[in-house]
mmCIF file of all heavy atoms in Angstrom:
data_model
loop_
_atom_site.group_PDB
_atom_site.id
_atom_site.type_symbol
_atom_site.label_atom_id
_atom_site.label_comp_id
_atom_site.label_asym_id
_atom_site.label_seq_id
_atom_site.Cartn_x
_atom_site.Cartn_y
_atom_site.Cartn_z
ATOM 1 N N PRO A 657 230.889 233.323 79.688
ATOM 2 C CA PRO A 657 231.309 232.144 78.991
ATOM 3 C C PRO A 657 230.983 232.244 77.444
ATOM 4 O O PRO A 657 231.802 231.897 76.667
ATOM 5 C CB PRO A 657 230.365 231.087 79.621
ATOM 6 C CG PRO A 657 230.079 231.516 81.029
ATOM 7 C CD PRO A 657 229.928 232.983 80.813
ATOM 8 N N ALA A 658 229.774 232.839 77.099
ATOM 9 C CA ALA A 658 229.479 233.020 75.702
ATOM 10 C C ALA A 658 230.416 233.910 75.051
ATOM 11 O O ALA A 658 230.932 233.727 73.914
ATOM 12 C CB ALA A 658 227.980 233.505 75.547
ATOM 13 N N ARG A 659 230.733 235.038 75.698
ATOM 14 C CA ARG A 659 231.610 236.063 75.094
ATOM 15 C C ARG A 659 233.056 235.432 74.891
ATOM 16 O O ARG A 659 233.706 235.678 73.925
ATOM 17 C CB ARG A 659 231.654 237.336 75.909
ATOM 18 C CG ARG A 659 230.350 238.081 75.797
ATOM 19 C CD ARG A 659 230.355 239.320 76.730
ATOM 20 N NE ARG A 659 229.198 240.110 76.469
ATOM 21 C CZ ARG A 659 228.756 241.136 77.348
ATOM 22 N NH1 ARG A 659 229.384 241.326 78.436
ATOM 23 N NH2 ARG A 659 227.606 241.798 77.108
ATOM 24 N N LEU A 660 233.485 234.696 75.883
ATOM 25 C CA LEU A 660 234.820 234.070 75.813
ATOM 26 C C LEU A 660 234.859 233.134 74.635
ATOM 27 O O LEU A 660 235.798 233.068 73.865
ATOM 28 C CB LEU A 660 235.112 233.405 77.114
ATOM 29 C CG LEU A 660 235.513 234.289 78.370
ATOM 30 C CD1 LEU A 660 235.444 233.383 79.526
ATOM 31 C CD2 LEU A 660 236.838 234.833 78.139
ATOM 32 N N ALA A 661 233.799 232.278 74.525
ATOM 33 C CA ALA A 661 233.757 231.302 73.474
ATOM 34 C C ALA A 661 233.738 232.014 72.065
ATOM 35 O O ALA A 661 234.490 231.567 71.156
ATOM 36 C CB ALA A 661 232.568 230.384 73.621
ATOM 37 N N LEU A 662 232.936 233.007 72.006
ATOM 38 C CA LEU A 662 232.922 233.663 70.627
ATOM 39 C C LEU A 662 234.137 234.400 70.293
ATOM 40 O O LEU A 662 234.552 234.389 69.152
ATOM 41 C CB LEU A 662 231.695 234.669 70.718
ATOM 42 C CG LEU A 662 230.310 233.988 70.752
ATOM 43 C CD1 LEU A 662 229.229 235.013 71.060
ATOM 44 C CD2 LEU A 662 229.942 233.283 69.426
ATOM 45 N N ARG A 663 234.747 235.003 71.256
ATOM 46 C CA ARG A 663 235.996 235.733 70.967
ATOM 47 C C ARG A 663 237.191 234.821 70.625
ATOM 48 O O ARG A 663 237.919 235.209 69.777
ATOM 49 C CB ARG A 663 236.385 236.685 72.204
ATOM 50 C CG ARG A 663 237.564 237.543 71.938
ATOM 51 C CD ARG A 663 237.621 238.615 72.962
ATOM 52 N NE ARG A 663 238.864 239.490 72.754
ATOM 53 C CZ ARG A 663 239.199 240.541 73.453
ATOM 54 N NH1 ARG A 663 238.352 240.928 74.460
ATOM 55 N NH2 ARG A 663 240.225 241.187 73.225
ATOM 56 N N ALA A 664 237.286 233.705 71.390
ATOM 57 C CA ALA A 664 238.382 232.850 71.222
ATOM 58 C C ALA A 664 238.154 231.714 70.218
ATOM 59 O O ALA A 664 239.062 230.936 69.827
ATOM 60 C CB ALA A 664 238.808 232.269 72.591
ATOM 61 N N GLY A 665 236.916 231.590 69.848
ATOM 62 C CA GLY A 665 236.474 230.424 68.984
ATOM 63 C C GLY A 665 236.659 229.164 69.719
ATOM 64 O O GLY A 665 236.794 228.056 69.088
ATOM 65 N N ALA A 666 236.527 229.043 71.000
ATOM 66 C CA ALA A 666 236.677 227.855 71.827
ATOM 67 C C ALA A 666 235.312 227.101 71.947
ATOM 68 O O ALA A 666 234.251 227.718 72.048
ATOM 69 C CB ALA A 666 237.107 228.286 73.282
ATOM 70 N N PRO A 667 235.400 225.822 71.909
ATOM 71 C CA PRO A 667 234.231 224.990 72.145
ATOM 72 C C PRO A 667 233.714 225.030 73.538
ATOM 73 O O PRO A 667 234.502 225.152 74.472
ATOM 74 C CB PRO A 667 234.689 223.630 71.697
ATOM 75 C CG PRO A 667 236.106 223.502 72.006
ATOM 76 C CD PRO A 667 236.632 224.938 71.696
ATOM 77 N N ILE A 668 232.429 224.829 73.689
ATOM 78 C CA ILE A 668 231.874 224.791 75.015
ATOM 79 C C ILE A 668 231.387 223.320 75.258
ATOM 80 O O ILE A 668 230.686 222.724 74.443
ATOM 81 C CB ILE A 668 230.591 225.668 75.104
ATOM 82 C CG1 ILE A 668 231.031 227.205 74.960
ATOM 83 C CG2 ILE A 668 229.916 225.441 76.486
ATOM 84 C CD1 ILE A 668 229.845 228.119 74.973
ATOM 85 N N VAL A 669 231.828 222.743 76.411
ATOM 86 C CA VAL A 669 231.389 221.430 76.774
ATOM 87 C C VAL A 669 230.750 221.508 78.149
ATOM 88 O O VAL A 669 231.137 222.312 79.003
ATOM 89 C CB VAL A 669 232.648 220.513 76.855
ATOM 90 C CG1 VAL A 669 232.318 219.131 77.498
ATOM 91 C CG2 VAL A 669 233.259 220.245 75.481
ATOM 92 N N PHE A 670 229.710 220.790 78.343
ATOM 93 C CA PHE A 670 228.941 220.692 79.650
ATOM 94 C C PHE A 670 229.415 219.409 80.386
ATOM 95 O O PHE A 670 229.568 218.403 79.836
ATOM 96 C CB PHE A 670 227.449 220.740 79.371
ATOM 97 C CG PHE A 670 227.022 222.001 78.683
ATOM 98 C CD1 PHE A 670 226.986 221.985 77.242
ATOM 99 C CD2 PHE A 670 226.618 223.089 79.384
ATOM 100 C CE1 PHE A 670 226.538 223.200 76.676
ATOM 101 C CE2 PHE A 670 226.156 224.216 78.709
ATOM 102 C CZ PHE A 670 226.185 224.265 77.358
ATOM 103 N N VAL A 671 229.453 219.595 81.778
ATOM 104 C CA VAL A 671 229.679 218.378 82.551
ATOM 105 C C VAL A 671 228.937 218.574 83.892
ATOM 106 O O VAL A 671 228.755 219.702 84.446
ATOM 107 C CB VAL A 671 231.210 218.306 82.870
ATOM 108 C CG1 VAL A 671 231.761 219.472 83.697
ATOM 109 C CG2 VAL A 671 231.539 216.904 83.537
ATOM 110 N N PHE A 672 228.341 217.368 84.339
ATOM 111 C CA PHE A 672 227.585 217.335 85.557
ATOM 112 C C PHE A 672 228.028 216.149 86.326
ATOM 113 O O PHE A 672 228.113 215.073 85.803
ATOM 114 C CB PHE A 672 226.127 217.398 85.323
ATOM 115 C CG PHE A 672 225.632 218.561 84.436
ATOM 116 C CD1 PHE A 672 225.600 218.553 83.089
ATOM 117 C CD2 PHE A 672 225.326 219.773 85.106
ATOM 118 C CE1 PHE A 672 225.159 219.585 82.371
ATOM 119 C CE2 PHE A 672 224.946 220.935 84.381
ATOM 120 C CZ PHE A 672 224.838 220.763 82.989
ATOM 121 N N CYS A 673 228.254 216.365 87.689
ATOM 122 C CA CYS A 673 228.651 215.269 88.550
ATOM 123 C C CYS A 673 227.505 214.814 89.379
ATOM 124 O O CYS A 673 226.989 215.581 90.219
ATOM 125 C CB CYS A 673 229.816 215.746 89.419
ATOM 126 S SG CYS A 673 230.684 214.377 90.233
ATOM 127 N N ILE A 674 227.037 213.637 89.199
ATOM 128 C CA ILE A 674 225.796 213.089 89.745
ATOM 129 C C ILE A 674 226.173 212.086 90.873
ATOM 130 O O ILE A 674 226.990 211.110 90.653
ATOM 131 C CB ILE A 674 224.965 212.359 88.693
ATOM 132 C CG1 ILE A 674 224.800 213.237 87.488
ATOM 133 C CG2 ILE A 674 223.468 212.012 89.342
ATOM 134 C CD1 ILE A 674 224.174 214.514 87.713
ATOM 135 N N PRO A 675 225.642 212.200 92.087
ATOM 136 C CA PRO A 675 225.810 211.096 93.150
ATOM 137 C C PRO A 675 225.288 209.818 92.604
ATOM 138 O O PRO A 675 224.218 209.710 91.994
ATOM 139 C CB PRO A 675 225.035 211.610 94.291
ATOM 140 C CG PRO A 675 224.822 213.148 94.036
ATOM 141 C CD PRO A 675 224.788 213.181 92.566
ATOM 142 N N ASP A 676 226.145 208.783 92.767
ATOM 143 C CA ASP A 676 225.748 207.402 92.314
ATOM 144 C C ASP A 676 226.204 206.369 93.293
ATOM 145 O O ASP A 676 227.317 205.948 93.157
ATOM 146 C CB ASP A 676 226.451 207.206 90.882
ATOM 147 C CG ASP A 676 225.947 205.937 90.219
ATOM 148 O OD1 ASP A 676 224.956 205.377 90.722
ATOM 149 O OD2 ASP A 676 226.592 205.444 89.276
ATOM 150 N N GLY A 677 225.270 206.091 94.275
ATOM 151 C CA GLY A 677 225.676 205.107 95.284
ATOM 152 C C GLY A 677 226.777 205.734 96.103
ATOM 153 O O GLY A 677 226.767 206.859 96.483
ATOM 154 N N PRO A 678 227.825 204.952 96.456
ATOM 155 C CA PRO A 678 228.911 205.442 97.261
ATOM 156 C C PRO A 678 229.886 206.345 96.418
ATOM 157 O O PRO A 678 230.790 206.944 96.972
ATOM 158 C CB PRO A 678 229.620 204.177 97.745
ATOM 159 C CG PRO A 678 229.323 203.247 96.666
ATOM 160 C CD PRO A 678 227.931 203.528 96.165
ATOM 161 N N GLY A 679 229.637 206.399 95.083
ATOM 162 C CA GLY A 679 230.534 207.209 94.289
ATOM 163 C C GLY A 679 229.810 208.245 93.495
ATOM 164 O O GLY A 679 228.819 208.824 93.907
ATOM 165 N N HIS A 680 230.364 208.652 92.283
ATOM 166 C CA HIS A 680 229.845 209.751 91.504
ATOM 167 C C HIS A 680 229.894 209.319 90.014
ATOM 168 O O HIS A 680 230.714 208.447 89.620
ATOM 169 C CB HIS A 680 230.524 211.009 91.778
ATOM 170 C CG HIS A 680 230.617 211.480 93.077
ATOM 171 N ND1 HIS A 680 231.551 211.113 94.069
ATOM 172 C CD2 HIS A 680 229.686 212.295 93.841
ATOM 173 C CE1 HIS A 680 231.391 211.622 95.180
ATOM 174 N NE2 HIS A 680 230.211 212.339 95.121
ATOM 175 N N ARG A 681 229.060 209.955 89.241
ATOM 176 C CA ARG A 681 229.068 209.771 87.808
ATOM 177 C C ARG A 681 229.292 211.149 87.117
ATOM 178 O O ARG A 681 228.495 212.065 87.323
ATOM 179 C CB ARG A 681 227.782 209.131 87.326
ATOM 180 C CG ARG A 681 227.808 208.601 85.900
ATOM 181 C CD ARG A 681 226.557 207.821 85.618
ATOM 182 N NE ARG A 681 225.321 208.641 85.652
ATOM 183 C CZ ARG A 681 224.401 208.634 86.669
ATOM 184 N NH1 ARG A 681 224.580 207.764 87.754
ATOM 185 N NH2 ARG A 681 223.428 209.420 86.586
ATOM 186 N N LEU A 682 230.390 211.299 86.429
ATOM 187 C CA LEU A 682 230.718 212.578 85.752
ATOM 188 C C LEU A 682 230.278 212.424 84.279
ATOM 189 O O LEU A 682 230.901 211.654 83.523
ATOM 190 C CB LEU A 682 232.257 212.791 85.773
ATOM 191 C CG LEU A 682 232.663 214.249 85.429
ATOM 192 C CD1 LEU A 682 232.275 215.266 86.468
ATOM 193 C CD2 LEU A 682 234.223 214.261 85.270
ATOM 194 N N GLU A 683 229.242 213.163 83.917
ATOM 195 C CA GLU A 683 228.613 213.071 82.574
ATOM 196 C C GLU A 683 228.917 214.313 81.766
ATOM 197 O O GLU A 683 228.573 215.425 82.163
ATOM 198 C CB GLU A 683 227.153 212.937 82.743
ATOM 199 C CG GLU A 683 226.725 211.653 83.507
ATOM 200 C CD GLU A 683 225.229 211.506 83.586
ATOM 201 O OE1 GLU A 683 224.523 212.452 83.195
ATOM 202 O OE2 GLU A 683 224.751 210.494 84.173
ATOM 203 N N PHE A 684 229.522 214.104 80.585
ATOM 204 C CA PHE A 684 229.791 215.131 79.637
ATOM 205 C C PHE A 684 228.687 215.204 78.611
ATOM 206 O O PHE A 684 228.121 214.173 78.246
ATOM 207 C CB PHE A 684 231.154 214.947 78.905
ATOM 208 C CG PHE A 684 232.370 215.214 79.788
ATOM 209 C CD1 PHE A 684 232.994 214.153 80.527
ATOM 210 C CD2 PHE A 684 232.819 216.484 79.937
ATOM 211 C CE1 PHE A 684 234.028 214.399 81.350
ATOM 212 C CE2 PHE A 684 233.922 216.748 80.743
ATOM 213 C CZ PHE A 684 234.478 215.663 81.457
ATOM 214 N N GLU A 685 228.386 216.373 78.110
ATOM 215 C CA GLU A 685 227.507 216.486 76.890
ATOM 216 C C GLU A 685 227.977 217.699 76.038
ATOM 217 O O GLU A 685 228.704 218.581 76.577
ATOM 218 C CB GLU A 685 226.113 216.589 77.311
ATOM 219 C CG GLU A 685 225.668 217.812 78.221
ATOM 220 C CD GLU A 685 224.152 217.805 78.434
ATOM 221 O OE1 GLU A 685 223.427 218.240 77.471
ATOM 222 O OE2 GLU A 685 223.730 217.484 79.527
ATOM 223 N N GLY A 686 227.519 217.776 74.844
ATOM 224 C CA GLY A 686 227.835 218.811 73.941
ATOM 225 C C GLY A 686 228.679 218.143 72.789
ATOM 226 O O GLY A 686 228.443 217.054 72.442
ATOM 227 N N PRO A 687 229.571 218.906 72.121
ATOM 228 C CA PRO A 687 229.945 220.279 72.472
ATOM 229 C C PRO A 687 229.135 221.313 71.692
ATOM 230 O O PRO A 687 228.479 220.916 70.758
ATOM 231 C CB PRO A 687 231.408 220.318 72.047
ATOM 232 C CG PRO A 687 231.477 219.492 70.793
ATOM 233 C CD PRO A 687 230.538 218.338 71.120
ATOM 234 N N LEU A 688 229.285 222.493 72.162
ATOM 235 C CA LEU A 688 228.787 223.655 71.261
ATOM 236 C C LEU A 688 230.031 224.285 70.597
ATOM 237 O O LEU A 688 230.914 224.798 71.261
ATOM 238 C CB LEU A 688 228.080 224.705 72.162
ATOM 239 C CG LEU A 688 226.714 224.421 72.703
ATOM 240 C CD1 LEU A 688 226.260 225.556 73.569
ATOM 241 C CD2 LEU A 688 225.708 224.315 71.494
ATOM 242 N N ARG A 689 230.078 224.231 69.343
ATOM 243 C CA ARG A 689 231.204 224.703 68.537
ATOM 244 C C ARG A 689 230.787 226.005 67.905
ATOM 245 O O ARG A 689 229.903 225.976 66.948
ATOM 246 C CB ARG A 689 231.698 223.792 67.543
ATOM 247 C CG ARG A 689 232.296 222.504 68.154
ATOM 248 C CD ARG A 689 232.854 221.554 67.195
ATOM 249 N NE ARG A 689 233.761 222.234 66.170
ATOM 250 C CZ ARG A 689 234.390 221.486 65.216
ATOM 251 N NH1 ARG A 689 234.223 220.180 65.095
ATOM 252 N NH2 ARG A 689 235.257 222.126 64.402
ATOM 253 N N VAL A 690 231.242 227.214 68.351
ATOM 254 C CA VAL A 690 230.748 228.454 67.964
ATOM 255 C C VAL A 690 230.991 228.669 66.459
ATOM 256 O O VAL A 690 230.203 229.466 65.875
ATOM 257 C CB VAL A 690 231.369 229.609 68.800
ATOM 258 C CG1 VAL A 690 230.960 229.476 70.184
ATOM 259 C CG2 VAL A 690 232.944 229.565 68.659
ATOM 260 N N GLU A 691 232.009 228.096 65.840
ATOM 261 C CA GLU A 691 232.215 228.364 64.421
ATOM 262 C C GLU A 691 231.233 227.706 63.551
ATOM 263 O O GLU A 691 231.146 228.032 62.389
ATOM 264 C CB GLU A 691 233.714 227.855 64.032
ATOM 265 C CG GLU A 691 233.894 226.400 63.894
ATOM 266 C CD GLU A 691 234.100 225.685 65.180
ATOM 267 O OE1 GLU A 691 233.971 226.284 66.307
ATOM 268 O OE2 GLU A 691 234.547 224.504 65.155
ATOM 269 N N LEU A 692 230.437 226.685 64.104
ATOM 270 C CA LEU A 692 229.447 226.081 63.359
ATOM 271 C C LEU A 692 228.066 226.706 63.511
ATOM 272 O O LEU A 692 227.084 226.256 62.923
ATOM 273 C CB LEU A 692 229.349 224.591 63.747
ATOM 274 C CG LEU A 692 230.610 223.797 63.520
ATOM 275 C CD1 LEU A 692 230.490 222.358 63.945
ATOM 276 C CD2 LEU A 692 231.146 223.884 62.046
ATOM 277 N N LEU A 693 227.912 227.725 64.408
ATOM 278 C CA LEU A 693 226.684 228.301 64.678
ATOM 279 C C LEU A 693 226.292 229.368 63.574
ATOM 280 O O LEU A 693 227.177 229.857 62.831
ATOM 281 C CB LEU A 693 226.727 229.080 66.013
ATOM 282 C CG LEU A 693 227.034 228.164 67.223
ATOM 283 C CD1 LEU A 693 227.028 229.212 68.486
ATOM 284 C CD2 LEU A 693 225.990 227.196 67.466
ATOM 285 N N SER A 694 225.010 229.553 63.377
ATOM 286 C CA SER A 694 224.574 230.521 62.447
ATOM 287 C C SER A 694 224.852 231.977 62.971
ATOM 288 O O SER A 694 225.237 232.147 64.150
ATOM 289 C CB SER A 694 223.065 230.459 62.258
ATOM 290 O OG SER A 694 222.324 230.781 63.381
ATOM 291 N N GLU A 695 224.696 233.012 62.098
ATOM 292 C CA GLU A 695 224.956 234.284 62.537
ATOM 293 C C GLU A 695 224.065 234.726 63.777
ATOM 294 O O GLU A 695 224.528 235.393 64.603
ATOM 295 C CB GLU A 695 224.836 235.254 61.361
ATOM 296 C CG GLU A 695 225.194 236.725 61.650
ATOM 297 C CD GLU A 695 225.152 237.636 60.444
ATOM 298 O OE1 GLU A 695 225.026 237.136 59.346
ATOM 299 O OE2 GLU A 695 225.243 238.793 60.660
ATOM 300 N N GLU A 696 222.811 234.355 63.641
ATOM 301 C CA GLU A 696 221.854 234.623 64.685
ATOM 302 C C GLU A 696 222.329 234.018 65.971
ATOM 303 O O GLU A 696 222.157 234.635 67.101
ATOM 304 C CB GLU A 696 220.503 234.194 64.259
ATOM 305 C CG GLU A 696 219.364 234.642 65.303
ATOM 306 C CD GLU A 696 218.019 234.206 64.869
ATOM 307 O OE1 GLU A 696 217.896 233.716 63.642
ATOM 308 O OE2 GLU A 696 217.103 234.223 65.644
ATOM 309 N N GLU A 697 222.781 232.790 65.909
ATOM 310 C CA GLU A 697 223.213 232.070 67.115
ATOM 311 C C GLU A 697 224.475 232.529 67.694
ATOM 312 O O GLU A 697 224.804 232.319 68.899
ATOM 313 C CB GLU A 697 223.313 230.514 66.872
ATOM 314 C CG GLU A 697 221.979 229.838 66.503
ATOM 315 C CD GLU A 697 222.148 228.476 65.877
ATOM 316 O OE1 GLU A 697 223.213 228.192 65.168
ATOM 317 O OE2 GLU A 697 221.362 227.634 66.195
ATOM 318 N N ARG A 698 225.336 233.214 66.872
ATOM 319 C CA ARG A 698 226.611 233.697 67.350
ATOM 320 C C ARG A 698 226.438 235.084 68.019
ATOM 321 O O ARG A 698 227.154 235.956 67.888
ATOM 322 C CB ARG A 698 227.506 233.819 66.192
ATOM 323 C CG ARG A 698 228.071 232.488 65.679
ATOM 324 C CD ARG A 698 228.869 232.611 64.361
ATOM 325 N NE ARG A 698 229.998 233.557 64.634
ATOM 326 C CZ ARG A 698 231.190 233.129 65.091
ATOM 327 N NH1 ARG A 698 231.410 231.928 65.455
ATOM 328 N NH2 ARG A 698 232.151 234.072 65.284
ATOM 329 N N ASP A 699 225.432 235.207 68.821
ATOM 330 C CA ASP A 699 225.145 236.419 69.634
ATOM 331 C C ASP A 699 225.228 236.044 71.065
ATOM 332 O O ASP A 699 224.807 234.990 71.481
ATOM 333 C CB ASP A 699 223.700 236.847 69.320
ATOM 334 C CG ASP A 699 223.277 237.951 70.246
ATOM 335 O OD1 ASP A 699 223.728 239.098 70.112
ATOM 336 O OD2 ASP A 699 222.604 237.743 71.197
ATOM 337 N N PRO A 700 226.014 236.820 71.957
ATOM 338 C CA PRO A 700 226.197 236.445 73.284
ATOM 339 C C PRO A 700 225.004 236.145 74.064
ATOM 340 O O PRO A 700 224.921 235.282 74.915
ATOM 341 C CB PRO A 700 226.988 237.693 73.859
ATOM 342 C CG PRO A 700 227.623 238.296 72.657
ATOM 343 C CD PRO A 700 226.695 238.071 71.556
#
């Protein structure tokens, strides 16, 4: 995933589906935008 993001410049978004009573809760967080990372952070 890290190599794909760095090569394509694609953002990374996280999502987790949590049981919530009889249904579910789909929670997004992020994003990680590789073009905004420092040179040290842009390492796979």
Side-chain angles (χ1 to χ4, degrees):
R659 288 175 176 166
L660 287 167
L662 292 167
R663 183 165 178 178
I668 297 174
V669 170
F670 297 88
V671 68
F672 301 94
C673 192
I674 313 298
D676 187 12
H680 304 88
R681 194 171 64 255
L682 192 71
E683 299 181 354
F684 288 95
E685 62 176 283
L688 284 177
R689 293 181 55 178
V690 295
E691 76 276 11
L692 301 180
L693 298 178
S694 68
E695 184 176 350
E696 183 179 352
E697 292 170 326
R698 288 173 58 84
D699 172 75

